[in-house]
Amino acid sequence: MIHQTQVGIVGAGPAGLLLGHLLHLHGIDSVIVENRSRDYVIDRVRAGVLEQGTVDLLIAMGVGERLTRCGLRHNGLYVSFQRRRHRIDLAELTGGRAITVYGQNEVVRDLIDARTGTGRPLFFEAEDVSIDGTDSSPVIRFRHEGGEHEVRCDYIAGCDGFHGICRQSVPHGDLTIYERTYPFGWLGILAEAPPSCDELVYTHHERGFALFSMRSTSVTRLYLQVPPDEPIENWPDDAIWNEMRTRMTAADGWAPNEGRIIQKSVTPMRSFVAAPMRHGRMFLAGDAAHIVPPTGAKGLNLAASDVLVLARALRGFYDQGRTDWLDEYSDVCLRRTWRAQRFSWWMTSTLHRFPDDGPFDLQRQIADLDYLTGSRAAMTSLAEQYVGLPSEVSFESAGLSGG
Ligand code: APR
Ligand code: PHB
């Protein structure tokens, strides 16, 4: 079967779904092709911090109803070291901006519902997805329910994540790869326990980093720094709670509430950028082009800002025939990407213990955190980056009102 469309989108993660909906709002047609099932995409547990700008974008796009109702707005966060928690008042330091805790899988669920409501095509469980013709006449080919499909389009959006095919289809030598892997991973759990603090707690500890977060008023989300590729079997529930208590219990007695663990997994940590984010008529967006370690909570937010820039560029092309915004796409996105890379690297290296670190490094990290939590200038720097630096593309120029 042959499908003719304006933009062929590979991947129905946050990037692909957000782009599809932004294009729909501009009257631009798209076909989204995803190789996993709908349930898999919705149930996949990922990060959960939305920057102010991401929240504003989802609301301006008309997909913020459940987010406004169920998202948890946080005006601050805690940084804990030497067993003391220090609050950083994000809202006060940034003129009222804040973050919202709302699971990425909830964002994906809302966007799939919105897509379904538009009646525009979204194929799940597409097999053998391949792309071709990015130099002239792009096509996406795949099999679906036994039939062969071909999507013929003006442009391809490669929104297929870090392991996707789009970036890999760019000829060797046309992309520059910047990469750093970290000598640790994060063991993450979801526990049936009401959060014992209503804001996030980033904890530095001699035994390694720990993070307290949440998903709702009854579910706590926690992370522990562990060796990379640590088998999850090494961590029975009791061992996880012991280690959480050791790292997180503060001098004032604060500790996470404990409960039944309903999900656990280990994620590797990496910083990665592929440049440029365009090859001919294909644009890369989100994790397909860049990965940040989760410490800065930037992954989903970067994906959202990429697609806002891409949607503006495609709208400019279809409405006015202009190609300058398409030409600028990669540079505009990479500038923000590198700022987020720098911030995520700094948060990661300040809060984690590295295998080669000695006593000097420990004292240097403590001094860094001491300075951070004692200086309004340092806290403001963290706060403005954590809630999200201003976007280079206004909602108005992207065809949305507000923001
Ligand atoms: N064909 C079709 N779809 C594919 C293919 C393929 N060959 N390969 C991967 N995909 C799909 C994945 O199944 C996934 O649903 O592409 C989607 C990519 O989604 P994400 O990995 O969530 O990436 P992205 O949309 O860029 O969102 C970035 O996701 O990884 C998190 O924390 C990260 O928050 C960040 C966000
Ligand atoms: C999460 O809640 O999953 C979360 C929060 C903050 C981070 C990373 C993940 O930095």
Side-chain angles (χ1 to χ4, degrees), residues 26 28 309-326 397:
H26 300 330
I28 299 170
V309 181
L310 186 52
R312 176 190 68 158
L314 289 165
R315 177 169 166 264
F317 174 75
Y318 285 112
D319 282 2
Q320 304 161 37
R322 59 190 288 182
T323 53
D324 55 330
W325 281 340
L326 288 167
S397 75

Side-chain angles (χ1 to χ4, degrees), residues 49-50 54 83 113 129 158 170-171 192 200 208 217 227 231-232 240 274 290 301 385:
V49 172
L50 305 186
T54 307
R83 303 184 65 220
D113 287 350
V129 181
V170 178
E192 281 174 345
L200 272 55
T217 49
I232 194 76
I240 293 177
H290 41 67
N301 298 294
Q385 296 180 83

Side-chain angles (χ1 to χ4, degrees), residues 178-333:
Y178 304 86
E179 188 166 21
R180 166 163 299 192
T181 52
Y182 295 88
F184 40 76
W186 275 16
L187 187 162
I189 63 163
L190 281 176
E192 281 174 345
S196 60
C197 173
D198 52 17
E199 292 173 345
L200 272 55
V201 185
Y202 286 83
T203 302
H204 174 275
H205 190 274
E206 298 90 283
R207 292 177 61 83
F209 171 73
L211 173 61
F212 168 89
S213 179
M214 65 205 67
R215 282 294 174 274
S216 67
T217 49
S218 56
V219 175
T220 296
R221 175 91 170 135
L222 299 167
Y223 297 95
L224 281 178
Q225 173 185 351
V226 295
D229 306 319
E230 176 89 325
I232 194 76
E233 301 73 50
N234 289 1
W235 288 90
D237 294 2
D238 281 353
I240 293 177
W241 286 122
N242 261 330
E243 195 60 29
M244 294 286 181
R245 274 194 296 270
T246 305
R247 296 190 196 177
M248 282 197 248
T249 305
D252 62 5
W254 180 82
N257 286 332
E258 298 178 23
R260 193 167 70 91
I261 295 180
I262 47 179
Q263 192 268 346
K264 57 178 168 181
S265 59
V266 175
T267 327
M269 303 269 282
R270 117 174 348 108
S271 302
F272 176 94
V273 179
M277 289 169 60
R278 173 185 190 171
H279 181 73
R281 293 179 158 265
M282 178 180 73
F283 296 88
L284 299 173
D287 277 17
H290 41 67
I291 297 278
V292 282
T295 329
K298 289 282 164 262
L300 170 61
N301 298 294
L302 267 187
S305 52
D306 286 352
V307 300
L308 182 64
V309 181
L310 186 52
R312 176 190 68 158
L314 289 165
R315 177 169 166 264
F317 174 75
Y318 285 112
D319 282 2
Q320 304 161 37
R322 59 190 288 182
T323 53
D324 55 330
W325 281 340
L326 288 167
D327 294 339
E328 283 169 15
Y329 169 74
S330 177
D331 287 347
V332 170
C333 291

Side-chain angles (χ1 to χ4, degrees), residues 9-17 33-36 40-41 44 46-47 104 108 126 128-130 158-166 285-292 294 298-301 303:
I9 301 177
V10 186
L17 291 164
V33 181
E34 162 65 48
N35 64 354
R36 300 288 194 158
Y40 180 91
V41 171
R44 195 165 38 188
R46 292 274 185 81
Q104 179 172 316
V108 166
D128 294 330
V129 181
S130 67
C159 302
D160 51 349
F162 183 67
H163 299 287
I165 50 150
C166 289
D287 277 17
H290 41 67
I291 297 278
V292 282
K298 289 282 164 262
L300 170 61
N301 298 294

